[in-house]
Amino acid sequence: DAGITQSPRYKITETGRQVTLMCHQTWSHSYMFWYRQDLGHGLRLIYYSAAADITDKGEVPDGYVVSRSKTENFPLTLESATRSQTSVYFCASYGGTSGNTIYFGEGSWLTVV
Amino acid sequence: EDKVVQSPLSLVVHEGDTVTLNCSYEVTNFRSLLWYKQEKKAPTFLFMLTSSGIEKKSGRLSSILDKKELFSILNITATQTGDSAIYLCAVLLTQGGSEKLVFGKGTKLTVNP
């Protein structure tokens, strides 16, 4: 089915571990985004990508790494997870053409203990 | 720094009331303004506004953009308990040749029966 999917949906990990959140979209959208959502902060942009092999930092990139080797995938890696990275993570994609909207994945709930 | 500010942050009304949610922005290279509704999971798209003064309508919801004064409003008439959600405003802007989406903190709407 066409759409944008995230995995895992729920994850508990320990401080210091590496965690990768996956995002896959089937529309061949050029743009993809990663956000985290925390109470009192709304949705904050972590990283975004305009196309394969092009990535840019958002508001809160520290502690995160992204890659975009294929248009349809945009994994987000926490290289050494910290408790402050406990959050809900949303991936989104966008075709980049005027009038196109932006669609969100279902979210990944990450708890770092 | 690009900024999107929503007000109020929280609002409690009774069923049948009409509400107006506000979104102001200060960004460089504005492209569009988007409204989303978020219940317990991913944000769902409501409206995308690109031109000033043109009202977009969907059932009891409507929205308009003022690009001169840099704000948008989202109106909900005859509110229902199912309208209870967080309403998110976001601005799509261009930066360094690519586009990114910046969110406000959201307005939490509670509609009581």
Side-chain angles (χ1 to χ4, degrees):
Chain A
D1 287 344
I4 179 167
T5 54
Q6 293 183 230
S7 62
R9 295 289 317 283
Y10 303 93
K11 174 86 179 173
I12 300 174
T13 192
E14 293 177 338
T15 302
R17 293 216 182 235
Q18 181 174 332
V19 176
T20 296
L21 305 180
M22 304 299 294
C23 181
H24 175 78
Q25 51 103 355
T26 59
W27 292 299
S28 298
H29 282 169
S30 52
Y31 284 91
M32 294 185 77
F33 307 88
W34 273 109
Y35 293 89
R36 61 178 288 175
Q37 188 171 32
D38 306 287
L39 202 61
H41 289 282
L43 279 153
R44 291 183 291 175
L45 183 63
I46 305 172
Y47 270 95
Y48 62 108
S49 169
D53 297 323
I54 300 174
T55 61
D56 284 294
K57 292 179 181 179
E59 295 172 71
V60 289
D62 293 344
Y64 302 95
V65 173
V66 292
S67 61
R68 187 114 180 258
S69 56
K70 292 183 177 182
T71 300
E72 61 267 30
N73 296 323
F74 191 38
L76 176 75
T77 297
L78 289 65
E79 291 192 304
S80 178
T82 64
R83 288 201 179 93
S84 65
Q85 292 177 308
T86 292
S87 188
V88 183
Y89 291 85
F90 287 103
C91 177
S93 74
Y94 164 60
T97 304
S98 183
N100 280 350
T101 191
I102 294 160
Y103 294 98
F104 283 81
E106 289 296 306
S108 293
W109 273 253
L110 177 68
T111 301
V112 183
V113 297
Chain B
E1 186 188 336
D2 300 312
K3 201 161 53 168
V4 179
V5 178
Q6 291 186 246
S7 64
L9 292 181
S10 177
L11 187 56
V12 180
V13 300
H14 290 290
E15 258 190 325
D17 288 351
T18 293
V19 298
T20 298
L21 310 183
N22 304 295
C23 177
S24 64
Y25 59 92
E26 287 178 38
V27 303
T28 51
N29 302 314
F30 173 91
R31 281 212 55 186
S32 303
L33 186 142
L34 295 91
W35 285 97
Y36 288 85
K37 177 182 181 182
Q38 187 178 28
E39 295 170 271
K40 294 209 189 297
K41 36 189 183 178
T44 52
F45 173 76
L46 293 174
F47 298 111
M48 177 185 260
L49 303 152
T50 306
S51 302
S52 245
I54 298 173
E55 187 183 50
K56 292 221 172 172
K57 222 169 148 63
S58 175
R60 296 175 293 102
L61 277 65
S62 63
S63 183
I64 197 159
L65 174 67
D66 185 328
K67 288 167 77 173
K68 186 178 171 192
E69 300 297 330
L70 308 182
F71 78 90
S72 173
I73 59 171
L74 175 69
N75 276 325
I76 308 174
T77 58
T79 52
Q80 302 171 356
T81 54
D83 295 326
S84 296
I86 297 173
Y87 289 84
L88 296 164
C89 171
V91 171
L92 184 66
L93 57 101
T94 56
Q95 181 172 305
S98 62
E99 297 178 47
K100 65 177 187 179
L101 189 66
V102 177
F103 280 84
K105 292 187 178 181
T107 293
K108 183 178 179 181
L109 174 65
T110 303
V111 181
N112 289 325

